[in-house]
Amino acid sequence: MSASLYAGLDSSTQGLTAVVVRVEGRRREVVWRDTVSYDRDLPSYGTRHGVLAHRDPRVVHAPPLMWVEALDQMMARMAAGLGPERSRLAMIGGSAQQHGSVYLNASGLARLAAPDAASPIAAQLEPGFSRHTSPVWMDASTSEDCAEIERALGGPRAAAALTGSRIYERFTGPQIRRFWRTEPDAYDATARVHLVSSFLASLLAGRDAPIEPGDGAGMSLMDLSAGAWSASAVAATAPGLATKLPATAPSATVIGPLSRYWVDRYAFTPDTRVLEWTGDNPASLIGTGLVGEGRVAISLGTSDTIFGAMDAPRVSPDGTGHVFGSPAGAFMGISVFRNGSLARERVRDMFGLDWDGFSRVLRSSPPGNRGGVVLPWFEPEITPVVVRSGWRHRQIDTRDPAAVIRGVVEGQMLAMARHSRWMGVAIEEIRATGGGSANRELLHVMADVFNARVERFDVTNSAALGAALRAMQADTGAAWDDVLPGFVEPIVGGTVEPNPAAADVYARLALEAEAFERAELAHAEQ
Ligand code: XUL
């Protein structure tokens, strides 16, 4: 049996990661991986942590051209890294940060199709944008637009029943509405609004790619159960939008062969096909092996997320969390926390520590933080919605690194436990992924707060791995249970069991943290 290679790319907030897997019968291995960091490798765009500074902290954009250039760099590196083996590359899949949108004018749409392999794709595409910066998932500037769309759809519950979520600031629909309201001429000049995922897939395939319903569910424009645009949500968002959206297409849709640009420029083979891209969270669902209901994963990344597969779209009654589509069919439930790794980094830096020092402080301080609680809302928070940022604390000596660092980590884990109850999953095992999952001390707090066993997975970028496995599945037509073994395996010796005494402490602290959060939210509304 001859070997096949599958590539998965993940365009995340801070960089573009690729994972290439090789499959030869039962022999399976990750053969190549690499990351292009936006701040480090593409400094001319002036991003910090992959986004652009703005005088209004609620506005968070990134340059779409930077994503194009990162893709070009990555494909050059991949061609060199795989060498002659790239002739075996059967399919490329991908995922991207969710909700972010890319706005092309008519020339941009045409330019997608036929870039000239003799010069870099970014320069050829540059005149094709009707909006030069793209709002991303960290943007919280659209409260007014959310309220208007929600009202038109009959309120938050009706909006959630239709689309899977109430209307959130970072979702693509309200972002499009704000663009139409504030820059109507540029909106009129827009021929196509892509998600980051469908935009990058379009570049690989050299044609206008469809939107995958798992990722499309993060737009507030899709009828979740149908996996297709909702006429009422589209009409409630902006005039003329229906013609500016790409088509939606089921998750395993192969868009076509790799475009001539990549074949001619980097000697990839024209037989390599491109799979529709999805969002990073739906891809992570696959990359952590959650193809059936019952377990959850926690990803500790720029955003912290807790998610799991769902057989039916049970939306949360209080509007917390979202239901997206799953690339394995059915659905996924997810709660997203904006103050993830950057909040941890912030308190680490507050005391001039490195990650070892951060872990030491966690190890040497008592679970429960002597009753101290932190709500780590350094930046506007998504879950629960907090637009005016500022961290809140109770019984914390803010000069004490142990109290502050433990307070933030416990505050994050307690919030994830509290705001995932709506999914209705009895959590006995958590699959930890994302960069932060390499830190064992964080996993101890996670295991104790959830009173559940935590398993670590080898490839910290579960989204890129999930994207590669989606490509393998689409190419071979294999059942998911046959795709995962050999790739999605817990690290031997990486299991963290809960400590019953600490779990008791957290069961009590959870009630206090919940009451503190309720009081702070009520205070913020006054
Ligand atoms: C999901 C979300 C984030 C981004 C991060 O709703 O906003 O997890 O997908 O890339």
Side-chain angles (χ1 to χ4, degrees):
M1 181 178 272
S2 72
S4 296
L5 266 53
Y6 300 98
L9 272 61
D10 176 47
S11 173
S12 76
T13 317
Q14 305 199 46
L16 175 68
T17 293
V19 168
V20 179
V21 301
R22 187 175 199 277
V23 180
E24 188 170 8
R26 289 271 134 213
R27 271 194 60 197
R28 291 148 175 232
E29 53 187 331
V30 172
V31 287
W32 189 79
R33 66 175 86 170
D34 202 357
T35 295
V36 173
S37 152
Y38 301 139
D39 295 2
R40 193 187 58 225
D41 298 327
L42 296 165
S44 64
Y45 292 93
T47 56
R48 190 168 140 70
H49 297 306
V51 297
L52 299 167
H54 194 278
R55 62 195 137 66
D56 180 346
R58 292 171 306 177
V59 174
V60 186
H61 286 207
L65 206 58
M66 176 180 79
W67 299 327
V68 178
E69 211 176 319
L71 183 66
D72 208 5
Q73 267 199 19
M74 180 59 87
M75 293 298 277
R77 290 188 196 183
M78 193 189 292
L82 296 182
E85 278 277 280
R86 67 190 179 286
S87 65
R88 297 180 185 273
L89 186 60
M91 202 179 283
I92 303 187
S95 65
Q97 54 173 309
Q98 297 198 250
H99 318 294
S101 38
V102 177
Y103 298 74
L104 299 175
N105 56 31
S107 96
L109 254 185
R111 282 162 199 268
L112 283 179
D116 171 7
S119 66
I121 189 171
Q124 298 179 63
L125 229 68
E126 191 165 9
F129 295 97
S130 56
R131 193 180 195 183
H132 291 279
T133 62
S134 287
V136 300
W137 66 275
M138 297 160 109
D139 189 285
S141 66
T142 64
S143 302
E144 186 183 329
D145 307 276
C146 292
E148 286 166 1
I149 296 171
E150 220 159 59
R151 208 173 308 124
L153 293 180
R157 267 170 197 261
L162 175 68
T163 68
S165 306
R166 44 151 287 227
I167 313 297
Y168 276 84
E169 277 73 2
R170 69 193 192 287
F171 278 44
T172 323
Q175 292 291 345
I176 294 171
R177 184 172 178 82
R178 184 170 194 266
F179 183 49
W180 161 67
R181 245 188 342 98
T182 57
E183 296 175 59
D185 294 343
Y187 175 78
D188 281 346
T190 302
R192 179 67 76 241
V193 183
H194 268 296
L195 283 176
V196 184
S197 60
S198 57
F199 173 59
L200 293 175
S202 301
L203 295 182
L204 284 180
R207 56 201 285 190
D208 194 34
I211 284 184
E212 189 271 342
D215 203 16
M219 300 176 79
S220 300
L221 292 170
M222 218 183 71
D223 175 334
L224 180 70
S225 308
W229 301 129
S230 149
S232 56
V234 172
T237 299
L241 179 57
T243 60
K244 301 183 196 288
L245 293 172
T248 58
S251 203
T253 301
V254 176
I255 307 169
L258 204 55
S259 89
R260 292 300 321 175
Y261 178 83
W262 311 106
V263 172
D264 293 346
R265 195 167 170 88
Y266 301 121
F268 282 98
T269 117
D271 297 333
T272 303
R273 297 186 298 157
V274 181
L275 179 67
E276 188 179 45
W277 283 34
T278 184
D280 51 3
N281 294 296
S284 271
L285 191 77
I286 304 299
T288 50
L290 299 180
V291 294
E293 190 169 307
R295 295 196 182 96
V296 297
I298 289 181
S299 169
L300 300 176
T302 309
S303 63
D304 286 345
T305 54
I306 177 164
F307 54 86
M310 270 183 175
D311 295 337
R314 298 187 296 273
V315 296
S316 103
D318 64 355
T320 312
H322 320 299
V323 182
F324 295 154
S326 158
F331 301 91
M332 68 181 287
I334 178 167
S335 289
V336 180
F337 302 83
R338 156 104 187 253
N339 287 282
S341 68
L342 298 183
R344 289 185 286 277
E345 219 170 286
R346 183 156 175 157
V347 288
R348 182 199 68 177
D349 294 348
M350 210 185 259
F351 297 104
L353 298 172
D354 56 12
W355 286 119
D356 283 344
F358 181 96
S359 299
R360 227 173 14 253
V361 158
L362 271 181
R363 208 162 31 241
S364 60
S365 53
N369 218 7
R370 303 185 174 87
V373 177
V374 172
L375 300 171
W377 302 332
F378 295 100
E379 300 294 334
E381 184 47 72
I382 290 170
T383 311
V385 177
V386 178
V387 173
R388 263 174 243 299
S389 54
W391 67 307
R392 325 285 211 266
H393 46 85
R394 196 200 75 159
Q395 293 178 41
I396 295 280
D397 175 355
T398 55
R399 290 158 310 178
D400 176 4
V404 172
I405 287 174
R406 179 164 275 285
V408 165
V409 172
E410 290 183 348
Q412 291 177 323
M413 299 299 168
L414 287 163
M416 281 198 265
R418 173 162 80 244
H419 294 295
S420 56
R421 287 198 297 248
W422 67 270
M423 292 181 206
V425 179
I427 300 172
E428 282 168 16
E429 184 196 298
I430 297 168
R431 301 187 161 193
T433 175
S437 67
N439 184 325
R440 216 177 155 85
E441 294 309 320
L442 291 181
L443 303 192
H444 274 295
V445 182
M446 185 187 288
D448 294 345
V449 165
F450 283 86
N451 197 11
R453 186 176 57 251
V454 175
E455 299 277 13
R456 265 188 63 200
F457 282 75
D458 181 23
V459 175
T460 46
N461 195 317
S462 54
L465 176 66
L469 298 185
R470 281 183 64 234
M472 171 183 167
Q473 196 280 331
D475 187 47
T476 58
W480 284 108
D481 286 343
D482 294 328
V483 169
L484 304 175
F487 289 124
V488 185
E489 303 285 355
I491 295 179
V492 178
T495 308
V496 176
E497 296 287 349
N499 162 357
D504 282 349
V505 171
Y506 288 125
R508 281 193 299 279
L509 193 67
L511 301 173
E512 293 175 31
E514 186 163 3
F516 182 47
E517 181 185 276
R518 210 177 308 116
E520 286 300 318
L521 290 175
H523 185 66
E525 274 170 20
Q526 280 163 13

